[in-house]
Amino acid sequence: MNIDDLVAIDVHTHAERSCRQPADTFWQPYEDAATQYFKVGERPTIADTIAHYRARKIGLVMFCVDSESTIGNRRISNLEVAEAAAANADMMMAFASIDPHKGMMGVREARELIEAGLIRGFKFHPTLQGFFPNDPLAYKLYEVIAEHKLPALFHSGHSGIGTGMPGGGGLRLKYSNPMHLDDVAADFPDMTVIIAHPSWPWQDEALSVCLHKPNVYIDLSGWRPKYFPPQLVQFANTQLKRKMLFGTDYPLITPDAWIADFKDAGFREEVHPLILKDNAVRALGIRQNSPPPQ
């Protein structure tokens, strides 16, 4: 990334519409419920999302969510996201999503993507993928991530996906209690762990894990800042000011709306540049692109 050219880095955006494959009907009921919950319209393509962020000079991390084993919908290819990032490397990074239930085939995919230089981290969604983050089921995947010192981002707290569907769409919130990530952070100290979202109803657990473990960060995506719990803002202003990351959950929340709220949500002026960009540079291991040879 050309970080000096960017006003912010959004560490949490979704690949919602493939440019290569049709939408999967198995996912449609979940998308319809999320549309009602988040009050959003038609989802953008990957190319549309990149154009949206480029126009605002905001860098982004993008990923799909692999829920093939639980819901049965065909994921957007990690390779498609990675190739889009490679074509926009001045302002975009790709994370891969691999369901831990894929076992050694998932581990193989992770290693191949890393060794090809295609991805810069991983996204996990315990509720959608139906696993506890500290289940040994996922540890072979984490070993590969830790070996290469890459970040892993985990959904935490309530899930807008499934909200309002009969039985919550069969999804279970228990998997996304951030306290399960305490084991992961302790067992893999070389892997940066990013707890995604204000972790309601377990916000204090997330803050405790982040305070205790040096390799843990919190991204502030999925909620408009005007609704943030007061203790989250308090810690962002003080002890955890270098461990909070700007994220939106785009397209469910837009960067324009998030940043407008952020300015009036009680964050001290001195932490604004840390949260919007500087902390992400460190957490993601971003290195400024070298100048072209003369």
Side-chain angles (χ1 to χ4, degrees):
M1 282 187 177
N2 293 333
I3 56 176
D4 290 341
D5 296 336
L6 302 173
V7 299
I9 298 172
D10 185 340
V11 304
H12 198 123
T13 74
H14 286 269
E16 290 276 342
R17 287 279 187 271
S18 169
C19 298
R20 302 179 183 177
Q21 65 192 49
D24 194 317
T25 57
F26 275 71
W27 179 249
Q28 195 61 50
Y30 293 87
E31 182 172 309
D32 291 344
T35 295
Q36 183 173 354
Y37 179 82
F38 286 101
K39 298 178 175 59
V40 294
E42 186 174 351
R43 309 299 196 270
T45 66
I46 291 172
D48 290 338
T49 297
I50 295 168
H52 186 86
Y53 277 79
R54 185 173 291 283
R56 289 157 177 77
K57 295 185 178 180
I58 298 176
L60 72 155
V61 175
M62 181 185 286
F63 38 75
C64 64
V65 177
D66 181 356
S67 54
E68 290 181 340
S69 72
T70 50
I71 292 175
N73 62 303
R74 186 176 295 106
R75 69 177 178 183
I76 294 175
S77 167
N78 288 317
L79 188 59
E80 180 178 353
V81 180
E83 290 177 352
N88 295 276
D90 61 314
M91 48 80 70
M92 179 178 174
M93 293 172 59
F95 277 18
S97 181
I98 298 174
D99 185 340
H101 290 95
K102 291 182 174 177
M104 291 308 296
M105 283 301 293
V107 173
R108 175 181 172 182
E109 180 186 2
R111 187 171 293 280
E112 289 173 349
L113 287 167
I114 294 169
E115 293 180 351
L118 292 171
I119 57 95
R120 298 287 297 277
F122 288 80
K123 154 74 174 191
F124 295 96
H125 197 306
T127 291
L128 269 177
Q129 294 169 331
F131 79 106
F132 289 107
N134 56 356
D135 189 326
L137 166 80
Y139 271 40
K140 289 291 186 182
L141 258 178
Y142 301 159
E143 288 171 7
V144 176
I145 301 170
E147 175 188 342
H148 293 86
K149 294 182 168 56
L150 294 178
L153 185 151
F154 293 82
H155 170 89
S156 75
H158 184 79
S159 176
I161 306 300
T163 294
M165 298 178 68
L171 306 178
R172 288 164 170 78
L173 299 175
K174 64 182 180 180
Y175 294 122
S176 291
N177 185 328
M179 188 53 70
H180 303 308
L181 293 169
D182 188 56
D183 288 334
V184 178
D187 292 339
F188 297 93
D190 288 334
M191 182 174 77
T192 295
V193 173
I194 301 173
I195 303 175
H197 316 312
S199 301
W200 181 80
W202 302 293
Q203 183 62 79
D204 290 336
E205 285 90 335
L207 292 169
S208 177
V209 173
C210 189
L211 185 63
H212 193 258
K213 299 295 189 293
N215 55 324
V216 175
Y217 291 76
I218 291 174
D219 93 34
L220 301 173
S221 67
W223 289 40
R224 295 276 296 266
K226 63 185 177 181
Y227 299 122
F228 284 175
Q231 67 268 42
L232 179 59
V233 177
Q234 174 191 342
F235 274 90
N237 280 330
T238 54
Q239 290 169 288
L240 296 180
K241 66 182 180 182
R242 299 190 183 278
K243 302 187 78 181
M244 298 285 180
L245 308 171
F246 164 45
T248 59
D249 222 3
Y250 187 83
L252 303 178
I253 297 174
T254 68
D256 294 347
W258 194 100
I259 291 173
D261 276 6
F262 176 66
K263 293 175 180 177
D264 298 317
F267 293 92
R268 296 175 181 170
E269 194 69 30
E270 70 207 55
V271 308
H272 285 204
L274 297 176
I275 292 172
L276 288 174
K277 185 169 72 170
D278 295 349
N279 292 344
V281 171
R282 184 173 62 258
L284 301 175
I286 297 173
R287 298 291 180 265
Q288 176 66 289
N289 289 347
S290 300
Q294 299 298 317

